[in-house]
Amino acid sequence: MVKKIIIFLLIILILTVSVAGYYLVFKDNIEIGLNGELEYTLNVGDTNFKDDGIYLKNNKKIIENNKYYVKRDGNIDFNKIGNYYINYTVTYRNKIYSISRKVNVIDNIPPTLDINLEEINIDYCSKKSTKELIYTANDNYDGDITDKIELIKENNKYIFKVEDSSHNTIEKEINVNYLDKPKNVFKINGNNKIYVPLNGIYNENGVKYTDGCGNKLDGVNIRGVVNTKEVGTYKITYEVNGEKNLIREVSVYDPSVSKPTGSKVIYLTFDDGPGYYTNKILGILDKYNVKATFFVTHQFPTYIHLIKDEYDKGHSIAVHTYTHKYNIYTSVDTYLDDFNKMNDVIKTYTGSYTKLLRFPGGSSNTVSKSYNKGIMTELAKRMTDDGYIYFDWNVSSGDASANPTTNKIINNTINGVKNCTHCVILMHDIKSQTANALETIITSFIESGYTFAPLNETSPTAHHSINN
Ligand SMILES: [Zn+2]
């Protein structure tokens, strides 16, 4: 009986081994797997991803993939952070096998942080940076993240921090310096040397005395007196505790016997009048005993008689034009008609003709081109040949511009004379702004010691180059 059982068990064993053997040797044993890494991590924007594909094994033996149908799906957006899957599907002997691979697109590049200053200097007075601080942050993925910058102000440094949406951070710091208190300012207002005509007015313009932040300080002691009724050189001394004394020299001169030693001669010239403002201008010139030159016109007949006043007060009278219309440049004859008509008017009021003139628009004008090409060249020669002297200018007050301000005229004129020693200044006595600017201009020139003179036949002509 025992023997039978053993035989039976043996048969079972043999059958089992045989079946197992069959399966081991002949049955498909398919294994699908990924070539390369199981999971890839790419930086956003990096498109150099190489798909290594899959393998298929049957009973540990590689089956060549390309013999079978492999389907792949799943898109990767390399420009967008995320986890992506590539799914591979293989059909082999009517059976489907699949596997997927994970691809992570990440951002691990920190933002950039730009700061315009290498260090910050804090002004003592304003308590602010002497230069504007500008900082920006940019991220390869998020773009402009300037608004995410965290600025931590410590006593001696500023710390800038910024983090992008993937938690990449950057940090920079710059040093903060506190500037010392600037020195006090102590200086003379206006010129150190001033000229005052005898019996004229000395204006005490004082000094500027402030702390380094521009706050006015007290304690200026002014010593010295100017006697404008006596010719001489006077010294005004300005004293402040702890500062070197400042001295202004005031020269009172007698204009009837001497001229100030200033280096410039000023020829004030007024075009286009006489007109409404001529009287006011004559009054200011009288007040400072300044002689000027009027290039007259017949544009405002109501005021034409003022030519006599101008002449009687010692100013030079010269022809500008009768009509002040540019069609006078149509021909030499039309110009001469206009010119002679004006010179006749001058003779009526002064008793004599003048040899002096200024072309409307100056000899350099180009407006005459549209009336007659080459007319200015012709006229300049013709008038000179006939014994006349034409004048241009080397300083323009700018009062002929569309809307000149009084201050602009003052600045143009005072700055303009910096570049000349014989300064022929173009102004117009038909402008209120010119009349308003004149006194400041004259007193500034007197204080600087400049001499005023009317133009005559031997004066500098300040010629421009002719453009037509
Ligand atoms: Zn003019």
Side-chain angles (χ1 to χ4, degrees):
M1 188 62 197
V2 173
K3 209 174 169 183
K4 275 184 182 174
I5 290 171
I6 289 170
I7 287 166
F8 177 74
L9 286 174
L10 272 173
I11 288 165
I12 297 290
L13 183 66
I14 286 162
L15 279 174
T16 309
V17 168
S18 301
V19 168
Y22 170 82
Y23 274 95
L24 277 173
V25 177
F26 300 107
K27 181 90 170 125
D28 283 343
N29 186 4
I30 299 299
E31 185 192 338
I32 187 166
L34 296 166
N35 289 327
E37 305 295 329
L38 301 185
E39 188 172 329
Y40 282 91
T41 298
L42 303 170
N43 235 316
V44 66
D46 179 3
T47 54
N48 288 324
F49 169 64
K50 189 176 155 282
D51 187 350
D52 290 323
I54 57 150
Y55 64 82
L56 199 64
K57 285 181 181 171
N58 191 356
N59 289 315
K60 311 267 184 211
K61 272 180 73 185
I62 292 274
I63 305 163
E64 275 187 60
N65 287 341
N66 54 12
K67 283 187 184 170
Y68 306 96
Y69 179 59
V70 178
K71 188 174 160 243
R72 219 182 74 163
D73 60 34
N75 287 325
I76 303 170
D77 185 346
F78 295 102
N79 292 314
K80 196 165 177 233
I81 290 172
N83 299 321
Y84 299 90
Y85 293 90
I86 303 172
N87 304 310
Y88 307 86
T89 310
V90 182
T91 310
Y92 179 72
R93 288 183 182 162
N94 294 323
K95 277 196 174 163
I96 293 170
Y97 305 90
S98 59
I99 192 167
S100 28
R101 185 196 303 280
K102 193 174 177 193
V103 177
N104 305 308
V105 174
I106 63 156
D107 171 27
N108 63 4
I109 298 173
T112 56
L113 185 51
D114 291 308
I115 306 168
N116 70 324
L117 302 178
E118 307 215 323
E119 58 177 11
I120 293 176
N121 292 315
I122 302 289
D123 180 63
Y124 178 88
C125 302
S126 69
K127 310 284 179 235
K128 286 179 182 158
S129 172
T130 54
K131 288 182 186 152
E132 197 194 351
L133 174 67
I134 301 165
Y135 47 91
T136 54
N138 267 288
D139 184 59
N140 61 314
Y141 189 70
D142 298 334
D144 187 345
I145 52 169
T146 302
D147 59 342
K148 299 222 159 59
I149 296 175
E150 188 189 356
L151 171 54
I152 301 151
K153 293 184 178 180
E154 292 187 356
N155 198 27
N156 288 311
K157 63 183 176 188
Y158 282 7
I159 301 162
F160 301 79
K161 287 180 179 174
V162 69
E163 184 179 302
D164 69 12
S165 57
S166 299
H167 306 294
N168 301 300
T169 61
I170 183 166
E171 186 175 320
K172 280 188 180 179
E173 57 181 61
I174 55 177
N175 289 333
V176 175
N177 309 310
Y178 294 87
L179 300 182
D180 291 338
K181 183 176 184 174
K183 287 198 176 110
N184 290 356
V185 174
F186 180 45
K187 63 173 197 149
I188 284 180
N189 288 328
N191 293 338
N192 292 355
K193 171 136 193 168
I194 280 190
Y195 295 84
V196 181
L198 190 63
N199 296 319
I201 298 157
Y202 169 67
N203 291 315
E204 177 52 63
N205 287 323
V207 289
K208 181 179 183 185
Y209 181 43
T210 64
D211 70 8
C213 297
N215 300 309
K216 237 181 138 185
L217 296 174
D218 295 328
V220 181
N221 186 25
I222 304 179
R223 284 200 292 115
V225 180
V226 177
N227 181 1
T228 57
K229 302 212 173 341
E230 203 172 309
V231 168
T233 300
Y234 300 87
K235 279 184 178 165
I236 304 291
T237 306
Y238 305 91
E239 297 170 342
V240 152
N241 246 343
E243 300 276 356
K244 199 168 165 257
N245 287 353
L246 300 175
I247 294 168
R248 192 197 311 265
E249 209 176 273
V250 182
S251 173
V252 175
Y253 66 98
D254 180 352
S256 65
V257 294
S258 70
K259 287 187 170 164
T261 52
S263 51
K264 294 183 198 291
V265 184
I266 303 288
Y267 300 91
L268 296 178
T269 72
F270 298 94
D271 288 14
D272 293 7
Y276 183 78
Y277 299 100
T278 304
N279 237 332
K280 181 173 177 183
I281 284 169
L282 284 173
I284 296 166
L285 294 171
D286 256 11
K287 180 175 169 185
Y288 294 95
N289 192 27
V290 167
K291 304 302 174 200
T293 304
F294 289 88
F295 289 94
V296 294
T297 70
H298 195 273
Q299 293 186 96
F300 310 101
T302 322
Y303 301 96
I304 197 72
H305 63 276
L306 289 178
I307 291 177
K308 183 170 165 33
D309 290 14
E310 293 168 354
Y311 179 77
D312 289 348
K313 288 172 187 297
H315 304 295
S316 280
I317 309 299
V319 173
H320 192 30
T321 157
Y322 190 89
T323 60
H324 211 302
K325 294 212 164 78
Y326 285 105
N327 65 9
I328 57 170
Y329 291 134
T330 305
S331 69
V332 171
D333 284 345
T334 52
Y335 176 80
L336 285 176
D337 277 354
D338 176 271
F339 176 87
N340 289 325
K341 240 167 118 181
M342 195 63 229
N343 216 350
D344 286 342
V345 174
I346 289 172
K347 172 125 193 299
T348 306
Y349 288 103
T350 68
S352 57
Y353 292 112
T354 180
K355 290 281 180 195
L356 316 182
L357 71 104
R358 177 176 280 155
F359 293 113
S363 68
S364 57
N365 82 76
T366 49
V367 65
S368 56
K369 259 185 204 169
S370 59
Y371 296 94
N372 186 333
K373 259 201 149 159
I375 185 79
M376 294 318 298
T377 310
E378 238 181 301
L379 285 178
K381 182 175 187 314
R382 171 66 184 269
M383 298 312 278
T384 306
D385 287 350
D386 287 356
Y388 294 103
I389 297 140
Y390 75 89
F391 291 87
D392 288 312
W393 57 90
N394 52 18
V395 177
S396 175
S397 68
D399 65 348
S401 67
N403 219 340
T405 64
T406 300
N407 272 336
K408 195 97 209 295
I409 294 170
I410 292 169
N411 291 337
N412 285 341
T413 307
I414 291 175
N415 290 328
V417 303
K418 286 180 181 158
N419 302 315
C420 48
T421 49
H422 290 81
C423 307
V424 181
I425 302 175
L426 174 68
M427 302 177 119
H428 295 80
D429 55 324
I430 57 165
K431 295 250 177 169
S432 64
Q433 297 95 323
T434 308
N436 292 335
L438 188 59
E439 189 156 359
T440 306
I441 292 168
I442 288 176
T443 53
S444 160
F445 289 164
I446 288 175
E447 284 186 358
S448 298
Y450 302 159
T451 310
F452 294 88
L455 292 170
N456 62 38
E457 295 175 20
T458 60
S459 302
T461 52
H463 278 174
H464 296 170
S465 52
I466 293 174
N467 296 314
N468 176 32

